[in-house]
mmCIF file of all heavy atoms in Angstrom:
data_model
loop_
_atom_site.group_PDB
_atom_site.id
_atom_site.type_symbol
_atom_site.label_atom_id
_atom_site.label_comp_id
_atom_site.label_asym_id
_atom_site.label_seq_id
_atom_site.Cartn_x
_atom_site.Cartn_y
_atom_site.Cartn_z
ATOM 1 N N ARG A 151 -27.346 -1.239 -14.779
ATOM 2 C CA ARG A 151 -26.397 -0.832 -15.816
ATOM 3 C C ARG A 151 -26.009 0.644 -15.667
ATOM 4 O O ARG A 151 -24.848 1.002 -15.835
ATOM 5 C CB ARG A 151 -26.989 -1.078 -17.208
ATOM 6 C CG ARG A 151 -26.876 -2.510 -17.673
ATOM 7 C CD ARG A 151 -27.173 -2.638 -19.153
ATOM 8 N NE ARG A 151 -28.511 -2.171 -19.520
ATOM 9 C CZ ARG A 151 -29.609 -2.930 -19.505
ATOM 10 N NH1 ARG A 151 -29.537 -4.188 -19.121
ATOM 11 N NH2 ARG A 151 -30.768 -2.429 -19.861
ATOM 12 N N LYS A 152 -26.999 1.489 -15.365
ATOM 13 C CA LYS A 152 -26.694 2.918 -15.189
ATOM 14 C C LYS A 152 -25.770 3.140 -13.992
ATOM 15 O O LYS A 152 -24.839 3.940 -14.060
ATOM 16 C CB LYS A 152 -27.984 3.710 -15.011
ATOM 17 C CG LYS A 152 -28.788 3.851 -16.286
ATOM 18 C CD LYS A 152 -30.077 4.621 -16.047
ATOM 19 C CE LYS A 152 -30.912 4.731 -17.310
ATOM 20 N NZ LYS A 152 -32.183 5.432 -17.085
ATOM 21 N N ILE A 153 -26.033 2.426 -12.898
ATOM 22 C CA ILE A 153 -25.174 2.554 -11.708
ATOM 23 C C ILE A 153 -23.759 2.070 -12.030
ATOM 24 O O ILE A 153 -22.772 2.709 -11.641
ATOM 25 C CB ILE A 153 -25.775 1.780 -10.512
ATOM 26 C CG1 ILE A 153 -27.029 2.493 -10.005
ATOM 27 C CG2 ILE A 153 -24.752 1.637 -9.389
ATOM 28 C CD1 ILE A 153 -27.768 1.768 -8.908
ATOM 29 N N GLU A 154 -23.641 0.966 -12.750
ATOM 30 C CA GLU A 154 -22.327 0.450 -13.122
ATOM 31 C C GLU A 154 -21.574 1.413 -14.028
ATOM 32 O O GLU A 154 -20.359 1.580 -13.899
ATOM 33 C CB GLU A 154 -22.459 -0.915 -13.800
ATOM 34 C CG GLU A 154 -22.825 -2.020 -12.834
ATOM 35 C CD GLU A 154 -23.111 -3.346 -13.522
ATOM 36 O OE1 GLU A 154 -23.012 -3.413 -14.774
ATOM 37 O OE2 GLU A 154 -23.440 -4.301 -12.799
ATOM 38 N N ARG A 155 -22.288 2.087 -14.940
ATOM 39 C CA ARG A 155 -21.649 3.082 -15.805
ATOM 40 C C ARG A 155 -21.112 4.251 -14.987
ATOM 41 O O ARG A 155 -19.994 4.729 -15.217
ATOM 42 C CB ARG A 155 -22.649 3.595 -16.843
ATOM 43 C CG ARG A 155 -22.179 3.382 -18.255
ATOM 44 C CD ARG A 155 -23.178 3.849 -19.249
ATOM 45 N NE ARG A 155 -24.457 3.223 -18.888
ATOM 46 C CZ ARG A 155 -25.636 3.568 -19.341
ATOM 47 N NH1 ARG A 155 -25.739 4.530 -20.196
ATOM 48 N NH2 ARG A 155 -26.730 2.961 -18.976
ATOM 49 N N ILE A 156 -21.904 4.704 -14.023
ATOM 50 C CA ILE A 156 -21.456 5.796 -13.153
ATOM 51 C C ILE A 156 -20.241 5.352 -12.351
ATOM 52 O O ILE A 156 -19.260 6.095 -12.222
ATOM 53 C CB ILE A 156 -22.609 6.250 -12.217
ATOM 54 C CG1 ILE A 156 -23.698 6.947 -13.036
ATOM 55 C CG2 ILE A 156 -22.082 7.169 -11.127
ATOM 56 C CD1 ILE A 156 -24.969 7.231 -12.257
ATOM 57 N N ASP A 157 -20.272 4.127 -11.820
ATOM 58 C CA ASP A 157 -19.147 3.611 -11.038
ATOM 59 C C ASP A 157 -17.880 3.489 -11.894
ATOM 60 O O ASP A 157 -16.780 3.786 -11.415
ATOM 61 C CB ASP A 157 -19.498 2.252 -10.432
ATOM 62 C CG ASP A 157 -20.481 2.369 -9.282
ATOM 63 O OD1 ASP A 157 -20.696 3.488 -8.774
ATOM 64 O OD2 ASP A 157 -21.045 1.313 -8.891
ATOM 65 N N GLN A 158 -18.022 3.059 -13.133
ATOM 66 C CA GLN A 158 -16.854 2.934 -14.014
ATOM 67 C C GLN A 158 -16.224 4.298 -14.297
ATOM 68 O O GLN A 158 -14.997 4.441 -14.280
ATOM 69 C CB GLN A 158 -17.241 2.252 -15.325
ATOM 70 C CG GLN A 158 -17.505 0.776 -15.180
ATOM 71 C CD GLN A 158 -18.049 0.151 -16.457
ATOM 72 O OE1 GLN A 158 -18.363 0.849 -17.415
ATOM 73 N NE2 GLN A 158 -18.172 -1.163 -16.458
ATOM 74 N N ALA A 159 -17.057 5.290 -14.546
ATOM 75 C CA ALA A 159 -16.532 6.638 -14.803
ATOM 76 C C ALA A 159 -15.832 7.178 -13.565
ATOM 77 O O ALA A 159 -14.758 7.787 -13.657
ATOM 78 C CB ALA A 159 -17.661 7.569 -15.230
ATOM 79 N N ALA A 160 -16.430 6.944 -12.392
ATOM 80 C CA ALA A 160 -15.833 7.420 -11.143
ATOM 81 C C ALA A 160 -14.532 6.682 -10.845
ATOM 82 O O ALA A 160 -13.577 7.279 -10.346
ATOM 83 C CB ALA A 160 -16.816 7.249 -9.999
ATOM 84 N N ALA A 161 -14.466 5.391 -11.165
ATOM 85 C CA ALA A 161 -13.242 4.629 -10.941
ATOM 86 C C ALA A 161 -12.121 5.110 -11.856
ATOM 87 O O ALA A 161 -10.965 5.224 -11.436
ATOM 88 C CB ALA A 161 -13.501 3.141 -11.151
ATOM 89 N N ALA A 162 -12.449 5.412 -13.107
ATOM 90 C CA ALA A 162 -11.444 5.924 -14.040
ATOM 91 C C ALA A 162 -10.918 7.278 -13.565
ATOM 92 O O ALA A 162 -9.701 7.529 -13.578
ATOM 93 C CB ALA A 162 -12.032 6.050 -15.436
ATOM 94 N N ARG A 163 -11.826 8.140 -13.136
ATOM 95 C CA ARG A 163 -11.425 9.458 -12.628
ATOM 96 C C ARG A 163 -10.593 9.307 -11.356
ATOM 97 O O ARG A 163 -9.582 9.981 -11.162
ATOM 98 C CB ARG A 163 -12.662 10.314 -12.349
ATOM 99 C CG ARG A 163 -12.357 11.759 -12.079
ATOM 100 C CD ARG A 163 -13.619 12.600 -11.870
ATOM 101 N NE ARG A 163 -14.607 12.411 -12.920
ATOM 102 C CZ ARG A 163 -15.742 11.710 -12.767
ATOM 103 N NH1 ARG A 163 -16.032 11.136 -11.627
ATOM 104 N NH2 ARG A 163 -16.585 11.583 -13.759
ATOM 105 N N GLY A 164 -10.993 8.395 -10.498
ATOM 106 C CA GLY A 164 -10.259 8.157 -9.258
ATOM 107 C C GLY A 164 -8.855 7.631 -9.517
ATOM 108 O O GLY A 164 -7.903 8.022 -8.827
ATOM 109 N N ALA A 165 -8.706 6.762 -10.512
ATOM 110 C CA ALA A 165 -7.381 6.241 -10.849
ATOM 111 C C ALA A 165 -6.472 7.357 -11.353
ATOM 112 O O ALA A 165 -5.280 7.411 -10.992
ATOM 113 C CB ALA A 165 -7.510 5.150 -11.904
ATOM 114 N N GLN A 166 -7.026 8.265 -12.152
ATOM 115 C CA GLN A 166 -6.229 9.402 -12.634
ATOM 116 C C GLN A 166 -5.805 10.293 -11.470
ATOM 117 O O GLN A 166 -4.657 10.738 -11.397
ATOM 118 C CB GLN A 166 -7.032 10.223 -13.635
ATOM 119 C CG GLN A 166 -7.202 9.560 -14.974
ATOM 120 C CD GLN A 166 -8.076 10.393 -15.907
ATOM 121 O OE1 GLN A 166 -8.922 11.168 -15.455
ATOM 122 N NE2 GLN A 166 -7.862 10.233 -17.200
ATOM 123 N N GLU A 167 -6.732 10.557 -10.561
ATOM 124 C CA GLU A 167 -6.414 11.425 -9.427
ATOM 125 C C GLU A 167 -5.382 10.769 -8.508
ATOM 126 O O GLU A 167 -4.486 11.438 -8.002
ATOM 127 C CB GLU A 167 -7.687 11.772 -8.664
ATOM 128 C CG GLU A 167 -8.605 12.690 -9.439
ATOM 129 C CD GLU A 167 -9.920 12.969 -8.741
ATOM 130 O OE1 GLU A 167 -10.087 12.559 -7.570
ATOM 131 O OE2 GLU A 167 -10.790 13.596 -9.371
ATOM 132 N N LEU A 168 -5.492 9.455 -8.307
ATOM 133 C CA LEU A 168 -4.528 8.746 -7.465
ATOM 134 C C LEU A 168 -3.144 8.760 -8.104
ATOM 135 O O LEU A 168 -2.141 8.962 -7.411
ATOM 136 C CB LEU A 168 -5.000 7.312 -7.210
ATOM 137 C CG LEU A 168 -4.149 6.506 -6.230
ATOM 138 C CD1 LEU A 168 -4.140 7.171 -4.848
ATOM 139 C CD2 LEU A 168 -4.679 5.092 -6.125
ATOM 140 N N ALA A 169 -3.083 8.582 -9.411
ATOM 141 C CA ALA A 169 -1.792 8.642 -10.108
ATOM 142 C C ALA A 169 -1.173 10.031 -9.961
ATOM 143 O O ALA A 169 0.042 10.160 -9.751
ATOM 144 C CB ALA A 169 -1.970 8.284 -11.579
ATOM 145 N N ALA A 170 -2.005 11.056 -10.062
ATOM 146 C CA ALA A 170 -1.506 12.425 -9.896
ATOM 147 C C ALA A 170 -1.000 12.647 -8.468
ATOM 148 O O ALA A 170 0.040 13.294 -8.268
ATOM 149 C CB ALA A 170 -2.597 13.431 -10.236
ATOM 150 N N LEU A 171 -1.705 12.100 -7.482
ATOM 151 C CA LEU A 171 -1.258 12.229 -6.090
ATOM 152 C C LEU A 171 0.073 11.505 -5.868
ATOM 153 O O LEU A 171 0.946 12.006 -5.157
ATOM 154 C CB LEU A 171 -2.313 11.680 -5.130
ATOM 155 C CG LEU A 171 -3.533 12.555 -4.896
ATOM 156 C CD1 LEU A 171 -4.573 11.804 -4.074
ATOM 157 C CD2 LEU A 171 -3.142 13.841 -4.192
ATOM 158 N N HIS A 172 0.234 10.336 -6.481
ATOM 159 C CA HIS A 172 1.503 9.617 -6.355
ATOM 160 C C HIS A 172 2.643 10.410 -6.992
ATOM 161 O O HIS A 172 3.763 10.412 -6.477
ATOM 162 C CB HIS A 172 1.397 8.228 -6.989
ATOM 163 C CG HIS A 172 0.737 7.220 -6.113
ATOM 164 N ND1 HIS A 172 1.290 6.758 -4.943
ATOM 165 C CD2 HIS A 172 -0.452 6.595 -6.218
ATOM 166 C CE1 HIS A 172 0.490 5.883 -4.379
ATOM 167 N NE2 HIS A 172 -0.591 5.770 -5.133
ATOM 168 N N LYS A 173 2.354 11.094 -8.099
ATOM 169 C CA LYS A 173 3.383 11.917 -8.739
ATOM 170 C C LYS A 173 3.765 13.092 -7.843
ATOM 171 O O LYS A 173 4.949 13.402 -7.687
ATOM 172 C CB LYS A 173 2.900 12.420 -10.098
ATOM 173 C CG LYS A 173 3.960 13.225 -10.834
ATOM 174 C CD LYS A 173 3.447 13.747 -12.146
ATOM 175 C CE LYS A 173 4.459 14.551 -12.919
ATOM 176 N NZ LYS A 173 5.433 15.308 -12.178
ATOM 177 N N VAL A 174 2.762 13.723 -7.235
ATOM 178 C CA VAL A 174 3.043 14.836 -6.320
ATOM 179 C C VAL A 174 3.881 14.342 -5.144
ATOM 180 O O VAL A 174 4.834 15.004 -4.719
ATOM 181 C CB VAL A 174 1.721 15.476 -5.830
ATOM 182 C CG1 VAL A 174 1.964 16.414 -4.666
ATOM 183 C CG2 VAL A 174 1.042 16.216 -6.972
ATOM 184 N N GLN A 175 3.539 13.156 -4.638
ATOM 185 C CA GLN A 175 4.286 12.583 -3.515
ATOM 186 C C GLN A 175 5.739 12.306 -3.915
ATOM 187 O O GLN A 175 6.670 12.628 -3.175
ATOM 188 C CB GLN A 175 3.608 11.302 -3.048
ATOM 189 C CG GLN A 175 4.280 10.650 -1.855
ATOM 190 C CD GLN A 175 3.619 9.338 -1.482
ATOM 191 O OE1 GLN A 175 3.050 8.653 -2.321
ATOM 192 N NE2 GLN A 175 3.699 8.988 -0.214
ATOM 193 N N ALA A 176 5.943 11.728 -5.087
ATOM 194 C CA ALA A 176 7.301 11.436 -5.555
ATOM 195 C C ALA A 176 8.099 12.723 -5.758
ATOM 196 O O ALA A 176 9.282 12.793 -5.389
ATOM 197 C CB ALA A 176 7.251 10.635 -6.850
#
Side-chain angles (χ1 to χ4, degrees):
R151 279 193 301 272
K152 287 179 182 178
I153 289 175
E154 287 174 1
R155 238 178 308 166
I156 291 171
D157 287 346
Q158 287 173 352
R163 191 177 310 106
Q166 287 177 334
E167 290 176 7
L168 186 61
L171 284 172
H172 279 293
K173 183 182 180 329
V174 167
Q175 182 183 28

